[in-house]
Amino acid sequence: MQAVTYDSFSSARLPPRHDQKPSAATVPASSGPGRPPAELLHRLRARHSADPVTHVERVPARVGEPAPWPTWAPEELRAAFARRGVTAPWRHQAEAAELAYAGTHVVVATGTASGKSLAYQLPALGTLLADPRATVLYLAPTKALAADQLRAVAGLELEGVRPACYDGDTPRAEREWIRRHSRFVLTNPDMLHHGILPGHANWSGFLRRLAYVVVDECHTYRGVFGSHVAHVLRRLRRQCARFGNTPVFVLASATSGDPATTAGRLTGLPVAAVTEDTSPRGGVTFALWEPPLLPSDTSSDVADLAPVRRSALRETADLLADSIVEGVRTLAFVRSRRGAEVVAANARRALDEAVPGLGDRVAAYRAGYLREERRELERALLHGDLLGLASTNALELGVDLVGLDAVLICGWPGTRASLWQQAGRAGRSGDEALAVLVARDDPLDTYLVHHPEALFGRPVEATVLDPANPYVLAPQLACAAFEAPLTPADLELFGEGAKEAVEDLVAAGALRQRPTGWYWRHRERPEVDLRGENGAPVCVVEESTGRLLGTVDGGSSHFLLHSGAVYLHQGVSYVVDALDLADGCALVHAEEPDWSTHARDVTSLSVVSVRSYVDAGPVGLFLGEVDVTSQVVSYQRRRIATGEVIDTRPLDLPARELRTVAVWFTLSPESLAAAGIEAADVPGALHAAEHAAIGLLPLMATCDRWDIGGLSTAVHPDTEAPTVFVYDGHPGGAGFAERAYGTAAAWLRATRDAIAECGCEAGCPSCVQSPKCGNGNNPLSKPDAVKVLDVVLANLAAAAGSSDEVAAGASPAAAAESCAEAVSEAAAGGSRGGVGVGLPRQDERSAADQR
């Protein structure tokens, strides 16, 4: 790797882009390390003939409010923090630490880079130093975050703490030592669920002395995953209670709506919230960036085509390269693993053309890398060996990336919470920072960059989870029974619905009731996947050497590792020779083709059975089982330089099927025609209604948008009518469709009002657009969606007298409140639904996806 200082390349010239004319603006003046954000943004904008920036938001700097060290903080700990440059805590850190040390469960929910780590490190480490027998358990949602916290705690060099990571990457030879000797164990909910709690006898000493449980980035535990984690924490509390121990829970969260309630639901405990951020913050210049239109082709056969904007991936890659040439350390967030590789590769190529060897200082970061690669990339970024990184949201969470100057966000990340989390990765040392949201050529992204009010000055979304969900509660009770027989006191711990769930498990033969409790009847322990990922990881192996390159999760393997696929790994291109799903292995060889591959799939939904229905004349409302089938059937090869489609090649991959529960409504064509909806507009009307219905369902059913999916079609073969389906994205269902069916009138009324009351003309993220639409938000018809829902609601109301289920639901006051919240929550796409864990995440689907 060539060692290049800022000064040695800050005056380099990047090659002009194909959509701009060379100008003096492409030659930055040398200015040493790091330009001020406003100046950098000015120079980036000047490289385009037409200004790509639609809005600049200035987030002002803030002065911090320090507080004295708590009197109980050991001098040794204060000195350790002082060596790290922390001379005093900020007021919110001290407040949270005082509450935790006094035995109060607490959540600190403040902004990115506000020092939440110190808020839990202070009481936890202070207790470890004061009590040589005490232990601490730290839970992180990602391995990268746990590794980062391990570096931070180990860097304090406190005698006797012995911090250690215990996760899937931990060598087995080290695990016994950690169980016996580490007093600060860092792990994740998956390892707690699969490894620690089932083997609690081996952890008895650690659990008996457990003083604190730290749950970091707790806002990520949402939906069905969050509901599972909530019961894993209850199982942990149960095992500690068997030793007469009650640890204090300290939770850290990004700024979110109602963090105390969310943390209480997650832990099952009363939790105090500290939400006022008193840390200093450098100013942030936040720009909304719309890539330029590509030069039009004047040839007669394509002259009438609509103009196309430059790819957000290419634009982000160029901005990443431009920023590095300007001496700015930059992190680019990209929505997909493949996209992260493409951005890194294109940035490296541009930098090497400017300064040979400079491209070596840019890399990609994503899941699927080997542990050693991930740790080396994290180290290289922290130490400045890397000047740029293209990452998936794996680095969105609280990894301490001190020294970054700018963040590029390639495409709307889905929520305002994620947007600010990603933007907050820059300026973490308190300096000025630049954040740029690069819009994809998509109606949703286009809307957002032209309507900044949907992004700025609005509250972030609340975290949604439901521990009482019976589809989560029953398997978690089975896990608890495997660990130790359940008692009546345990049922109180697991909360609402636990008694009914246990009775169902007894009836199913999974549990046996005895005078001393409920016992697990099988030799094997229950197989419960917290994250619901579909299938075991597939290993990517270089055929000629047998070298393991990395892994791809089973749910993505059909798309990324089919025969003939181009697989990117840290800038090196490989072509897949064979995919063996039975052995979980893909064989590849190194090759640099001038084409890329793009898998194409077909999704269909068939009705298996109907549990219940309401006959409302021209409208039918149904609840039942469905099969959602997805199959990758072919792939396209496209020229990298031009995007030209070379050919389409068939694939013979097995279909993937999700048996789940759905709610759906049908309408007669005559009722649609009577409402003034033309036959050609029916697909757009149903598609828009489907999007909005999915977006509003979390108000009626305690779910997350990732937990539900939908499909709409003008004529479905099973119903023989125009139909809108909304289904649970989890095998066997998760209770959301049942809730939707039971509250259909309130749910669809809220949906109709949210669309009708939105001030846009043709549809926007606040009503019918979805940030995760598998069909590119096309076709959509906002006014016709209102007509569709008017027809449904009118006929359901007429049938309400003979259908208690339709009449059931939220009270009028609750429904009105839900509608008001819905309009606010739906803004910027905050509540959009998507296909859940049962299938690859293609999200809301319409019949057009099948063409």
Side-chain angles (χ1 to χ4, degrees), residues 415-416 458-462 464 695 698-699 705 765-766 820-832:
T415 64
R416 291 182 295 275
R458 302 184 66 89
V460 299
E461 301 82 5
V464 178
L699 297 173
R705 70 178 180 279
S766 296
E821 293 174 354
V823 175
S824 173
E825 176 63 23
S831 292
R832 292 295 171 260

Side-chain angles (χ1 to χ4, degrees), residues 360-559:
D360 291 340
R361 304 189 72 177
V362 177
Y365 186 101
R366 59 172 175 79
Y369 287 164
L370 301 180
R371 176 193 184 190
E372 295 75 17
E373 282 184 296
R374 294 197 305 269
R375 299 298 173 262
E376 176 57 26
L377 287 169
E378 294 160 13
R379 186 208 63 78
L381 186 64
L382 290 170
H383 289 79
D385 298 334
L386 285 176
L387 300 174
L389 200 65
S391 173
T392 60
N393 62 1
L395 288 180
E396 176 182 314
L397 301 180
V399 178
D400 192 9
L401 304 177
V402 174
L404 290 179
D405 306 307
V407 163
L408 307 172
I409 304 170
C410 182
W412 167 242
T415 64
R416 291 182 295 275
S418 289
L419 182 75
W420 288 109
Q421 277 289 102
Q422 293 180 5
R425 295 302 97 188
R428 290 175 65 85
S429 58
D431 297 331
E432 292 282 315
L434 173 67
V436 180
L437 172 62
V438 181
R440 296 175 301 155
D441 192 8
D442 169 88
L444 175 61
D445 284 32
T446 300
Y447 175 90
L448 291 173
V449 295
H450 288 283
H451 293 80
E453 69 278 4
L455 299 177
F456 303 109
R458 302 184 66 89
V460 299
E461 301 82 5
T463 303
V464 178
L465 67 146
D466 181 16
N469 183 333
Y471 294 91
V472 173
L473 180 55
Q476 286 293 331
L477 284 168
C479 292
F482 171 81
E483 293 156 7
L486 293 168
T487 67
D490 293 332
L491 301 190
E492 294 182 12
L493 172 67
F494 284 93
E496 178 186 352
K499 187 175 187 300
E500 293 80 3
V502 164
E503 291 173 353
D504 291 341
L505 289 169
V506 171
L511 298 181
R512 175 182 289 116
Q513 185 173 8
R514 292 178 177 174
T516 53
W518 292 270
Y519 288 73
W520 179 245
R521 296 188 60 179
H522 305 287
R523 184 181 301 274
E524 301 81 12
R525 69 185 185 191
E527 290 295 330
V528 179
D529 186 354
L530 302 188
R531 299 177 190 264
E533 293 173 349
N534 198 358
V538 175
C539 297
V540 183
V541 178
E542 189 172 27
E543 187 170 18
S544 61
T545 64
R547 179 168 64 101
L548 177 64
L549 298 176
T551 61
V552 170
D553 64 274
S556 302
S557 61
H558 291 210
F559 290 87

Side-chain angles (χ1 to χ4, degrees), residues 628-641:
V628 183
T629 303
S630 176
Q631 184 177 20
V632 175
V633 296
S634 64
Y635 69 97
Q636 287 183 340
R637 296 193 305 160
R638 301 178 191 170
R639 298 283 183 199
I640 293 176

Side-chain angles (χ1 to χ4, degrees), residues 767-784:
C767 53
V768 299
Q769 289 182 355
S770 165
K772 295 291 288 181
C773 178
N775 207 46
N777 284 302
N778 185 50
L780 292 175
S781 175
K782 173 185 174 179
D784 288 332

